[in-house]
Amino acid sequence: MNKANNDSIANLVLRLVIITVCAGLILGLVYAVTKEPIEQNNIQKATEARQAVLSAAQEFRQIALDGIDYDHEKYADIKEVYEGTADGQTVGYTYSIVTRGYKAGLTLTIGISSDGKVTGVEITAHDETPGLGANATDPEWLEQFKETDGPLVVAKSPTGAANEVQALTGATITSKGVANAVNLVREFGEQYLGKGA
């Protein structure tokens, strides 16, 4: 290898290093500038989801899960619990849960009233199949969960049984994922926060 080739390779390596360092600095700057607005946007979305699923609440107070002695393995999908109050009285609880539908990462906010009834279900993030499991975000389909007050069962063909929800066409696994999430948070509330939690 001659000196010209060595100089050419060294020059290319130096240029690549400079470009990489500059790109890293620019990405770091963009991250620093956008981090706070993204966090504020996520907080706002979570607040709106809590208000949507427990509309009777005027204020929400986060419950410290580390202050509750519960089965961490069984309830690992539950990420946050908020107590909803109105005029100083508890009206229910909201739960943020990340579970599995057809794919992992099915994120829901679920409201349960003080008398143990579902007040709402919102899917806040998912990676379900478009046209199938993604239809779980349809407000009409989610409406069937409201006012249920016991363990839910998913049916492909509804029979009219109590606490039965109809599966989405072609998305039974996603439907069961949502129903299982509702069942899990209701059970958690009854076990660790009191009847209607």
Side-chain angles (χ1 to χ4, degrees), residues 132 135-136 138 140-146 148 152-179:
L132 297 171
N135 292 339
D138 181 355
E140 282 186 36
W141 185 75
L142 291 171
E143 189 70 24
Q144 69 182 321
F145 290 90
K146 282 188 176 179
T148 58
L152 300 174
V153 177
V154 176
K156 290 183 181 181
S157 301
T159 64
N163 296 318
E164 180 181 74
V165 293
Q166 181 167 357
L168 288 162
T169 303
T172 305
I173 295 172
T174 302
S175 304
K176 287 182 178 179
V178 174

Side-chain angles (χ1 to χ4, degrees), residues 30-47:
V30 168
Y31 174 75
V33 169
T34 59
K35 180 182 176 190
E36 183 69 24
I38 289 171
E39 286 177 2
Q40 291 302 318
N41 188 38
N42 289 340
I43 290 168
Q44 180 65 28
K45 284 182 179 180
T47 301

